[in-house]
Amino acid sequence: MKLSKNFSLAEMTKSQTATRMGLENNPNEDETENLRLLCERVLQPVRDHFNHIVSISSGYRSSELCIAIGSSLESQHAKGQAADFEIFGTPNNEVANWISNNLIYDQLILECWNSDEPNSGWVHVSYDPDFNQNRKQYLRAYKDNGKTKYAPITGEA
């Protein structure tokens, strides 16, 4: 099932952990619609702008998968509203800055990114189907004594 020109439901639900553990990772109708909106309004414009493959590392997560990987059941991934991705060969901060400056989104996080290594980490982006609820919150996630912390990004990363 195509969610947009270049994104399919299969790639947005693919999970090695779910496959390895025999877990279902199939979204319901509302979650599938959320994934479609995320693809059409955020991921496809990113793909079109950079003209390179957007490699999804994590999209939809069922409740069973969330529990298995220690993710929150309240995560936007569990609602079909978020994806983690990279465009190999393009610095993650360049991708995130473009999203921040050009698209509507709920949360945009540069995960584990290091300015000394532009291709480090990945980009997390979410989109709320209630258009007016999209906060345009731009953050950097980093480790501090083994704990993930978040800092706001103002301007560009």
Side-chain angles (χ1 to χ4, degrees):
M1 171 185 194
K2 285 289 217 183
L3 298 172
S4 72
K5 178 181 162 190
N6 294 105
F7 293 92
S8 69
L9 182 61
E11 76 183 297
M12 295 301 292
T13 59
K14 177 186 68 177
S15 167
Q16 292 178 356
T17 301
T19 300
R20 193 169 44 251
M21 298 179 78
L23 303 173
E24 290 292 321
N25 197 42
N26 300 313
N28 65 30
E29 193 175 308
D30 289 340
E31 293 158 345
T32 300
E33 176 61 11
N34 290 342
L35 286 167
R36 185 188 68 76
L37 290 170
L38 174 66
C39 289
E40 283 186 355
R41 297 187 180 168
V42 181
L43 298 174
Q44 189 63 53
V46 169
R47 170 71 165 83
D48 293 344
H49 175 76
F50 288 96
N51 199 29
H52 290 291
I53 293 170
V54 173
S55 181
I56 306 295
S57 56
S58 183
Y60 173 75
R61 298 176 189 159
S62 66
S63 55
E64 294 86 1
L65 181 57
C66 285
I67 291 166
I69 65 172
S71 178
S72 169
L73 294 174
E74 299 302 312
S75 163
Q76 286 182 291
H77 285 277
K79 299 173 186 174
Q81 296 176 357
D84 298 337
F85 70 94
E86 292 181 76
I87 298 175
F88 296 112
T90 303
N92 288 315
N93 67 314
E94 184 179 323
V95 175
N97 287 336
W98 186 84
I99 293 169
S100 179
N101 291 327
N102 294 281
L103 301 176
I104 300 297
Y105 59 90
D106 185 47
Q107 210 171 45
L108 177 62
I109 307 173
L110 261 176
E111 302 260 8
C112 301
W113 178 76
N114 179 336
S115 61
D116 294 332
E117 300 172 46
N119 292 314
S120 61
W122 63 92
V123 176
H124 165 98
V125 69
S126 64
Y127 183 86
D128 193 312
D130 183 345
F131 184 83
N132 294 321
Q133 295 301 308
N134 285 292
R135 299 171 284 176
K136 287 201 78 159
Q137 184 179 47
Y138 191 12
L139 305 168
R140 184 175 69 88
Y142 61 95
K143 295 286 186 186
D144 184 18
N145 291 325
K147 229 172 150 59
T148 302
K149 296 200 173 181
Y150 298 88
I153 296 173
T154 53
E156 295 196 343

